Amino acid sequence: MPIVPLHGHDALRARLAEARDRGALPQSLLLHGESGVGKQRLALWLAQSILCEGDTRPCASCRQCRYSLELSHPDLIWAFPRPKLKDSDPSLDDIKFDLGQAAQDRAKAGGLYPPPPGSDGIFVATTRLLVQMASVTPAMARRKVIVVGEADRMAPPLENAEAPAANAFLKLLEEPPADTNIILTSSAPGALLPTIRSRVVAIRVAPLGEDAMRAWLEEPLVKETLDKAHLPGRIDERLRLAGGAPGRLLASQQSSAAANAARRLLEVALSGDRARLLRVSLAQGSSGARGAFTDILDALTVELHERSRTAVESADERTARNAARAVSVVEESKVLAAGNVSPQLITASLLRDLSRVLAPP
């Protein structure tokens, strides 16, 4: 079954297509923007257009396009955060099989999927696979495309033995084979390793406009999926919840626990109660900054965006401005959470800064 068509991003798509047709499309790209705005779907569209053999690319009807839309094209490699395999040193075949199964699961859902848990990652064994696949001659098309979704979840090498694989991937980004395009996506480009950022051309992906969002919401499979998630039935309400990011609706049910935790953090920050701040910070645990804590920070960003929109609607300029500043504070915490920083320390600093930024006059 083909995945749901891409809606919106028309101006950006035109720019990318024009660069592709001129032979000026950078081989290593980074698509970055807010979570849920469709960066990976746009990357898959671009990959399809590169592999397409029709006159108007992507034509959606040639063999290359059909396989791309079914996420089964052998020259389209899509990597994204996955659970770490139980084997401490998995084979490349094991990694390839795991990614292939996960991609087919997403294909069966029409490309509509919730964000992966915060404990998932793109581990060094996966980078080894990508480097190997980049060296292989295309199987069907004239080129091959590697898409790495949520590249900020790439784990740095933890041991000296892993360094060669990580360095090989950096070399791949810097000088891809002549027949290979690499497209990274990220909602937190600041969390990417500097050595990665310096090797790609960054392009910002904006939220969808209302017309594009309405068109996406009218897709039969989208309506069915959102109905099953028990989201509000009215399109206007779904538009408001999405805020230009379709992925927010797909994440709604899975992230309910994270949303509740984010609301509690916001409540504590607004209270200004230092004792509560300390208690909540300690409750985050000390098991490293990955996992559910990352999901809570994402949910907190959504809560603050909603606070800002509500304030704008009620002409409360000061609250809207402070909520926007608070989003920047959370984004800084996400950068810390991408490293080996204790959630306790991050939460304590975050709540202190949010309390200051959101404090009433």
Side-chain angles (χ1 to χ4, degrees):
M1 179 177 70
I3 57 178
V4 170
L6 174 64
H7 291 276
H9 309 303
D10 295 339
L12 178 52
R13 281 199 268 176
R15 282 172 47 206
L16 292 169
E18 191 268 340
R20 178 204 63 211
D21 292 342
R22 286 192 298 111
L25 186 69
Q27 280 187 263
S28 295
L29 283 172
L30 168 64
L31 304 180
H32 65 94
E34 291 182 29
S35 179
V37 297
K39 298 179 294 297
Q40 291 188 70
R41 183 63 187 88
L42 177 61
L44 293 172
W45 171 88
L46 181 56
Q48 177 192 346
S49 80
I50 292 170
L51 299 174
C52 176
E53 55 191 14
D55 294 330
T56 301
R57 297 188 288 168
C59 69
S61 58
C62 72
R63 181 178 63 157
Q64 312 289 351
C65 282
R66 291 198 304 272
Y67 278 102
S68 295
L69 289 170
E70 293 170 359
L71 302 183
S72 60
H73 199 300
D75 300 319
L76 171 53
I77 302 101
W78 185 17
F80 44 85
R82 295 289 298 148
K84 197 163 192 175
L85 297 183
K86 293 180 180 179
D87 189 336
S88 59
D89 187 21
S91 70
L92 297 187
D93 285 342
D94 290 339
I95 298 293
K96 186 176 181 180
F97 179 80
D98 178 69
L99 282 175
Q101 287 293 106
Q104 283 308 298
D105 288 343
R106 290 186 172 188
K108 289 174 184 175
L112 305 174
Y113 54 89
S119 55
D120 289 3
I122 301 171
F123 300 102
V124 173
T126 303
T127 66
R128 289 196 192 102
L129 174 67
L130 298 180
V131 170
Q132 184 209 54
M133 297 190 77
S135 68
V136 176
T137 301
M140 278 179 51
R142 288 169 294 188
R143 303 186 62 78
K144 55 186 179 295
V145 185
I146 296 173
V147 174
V148 183
E150 298 189 58
D152 48 279
R153 305 269 287 272
M154 273 190 165
L158 299 177
E159 303 171 0
N160 288 336
E162 293 180 335
N167 291 335
F169 183 73
L170 294 176
K171 183 67 173 176
L172 174 62
L173 285 177
E174 189 170 20
E175 297 179 9
D179 61 3
T180 304
N181 289 80
I182 303 172
I183 309 169
L184 311 184
T185 78
S186 175
S187 301
L192 283 167
L193 296 173
T195 47
I196 290 179
R197 292 202 307 271
S198 66
R199 287 167 167 81
V200 296
V201 175
I203 297 176
R204 181 177 178 274
V205 181
L208 295 185
E210 183 175 329
D211 289 346
M213 275 298 310
R214 285 186 181 276
W216 183 79
L217 288 168
E218 290 289 353
E219 289 283 349
L221 186 56
V222 171
K223 295 173 70 173
E224 179 185 339
T225 300
L226 298 183
D227 287 344
K228 287 180 180 178
H230 304 294
L231 287 173
R234 294 178 58 248
I235 283 187
D236 287 346
E237 184 65 13
R238 290 179 176 180
L239 280 172
R240 186 188 67 80
L241 290 172
R248 286 183 189 153
L249 298 178
L250 299 173
S252 60
Q253 197 166 28
Q254 178 176 325
S255 62
S256 59
N260 289 335
R263 293 187 193 103
R264 287 195 295 271
L265 290 183
L266 189 56
E267 178 189 346
V268 171
L270 290 169
S271 74
D273 187 328
R274 292 188 178 182
R276 288 184 67 194
L277 185 153
L278 180 60
R279 288 197 300 272
V280 169
S281 300
L282 292 174
Q284 291 301 328
S286 56
S287 58
R290 293 188 179 274
F293 183 62
T294 306
D295 300 331
I296 294 172
L297 293 179
D298 288 338
L300 185 54
T301 298
V302 174
E303 288 293 320
L304 289 167
H305 277 302
E306 178 63 23
R307 181 179 176 85
S308 178
R309 282 195 296 271
T310 301
V312 168
E313 290 171 358
S314 60
D316 186 347
E317 182 179 341
R318 185 181 187 280
T319 298
R321 184 172 60 249
N322 287 351
R325 290 170 57 201
V327 170
S328 299
V329 172
V330 177
E331 293 302 315
E332 292 171 4
S333 295
K334 290 180 184 178
V335 174
L336 294 175
N340 192 27
V341 183
S342 164
Q344 294 176 335
L345 296 177
I346 296 175
T347 304
S349 176
L350 172 64
L351 291 177
R352 183 182 63 247
D353 292 343
L354 287 179
S355 183
R356 173 179 50 81
V357 170
L358 297 172

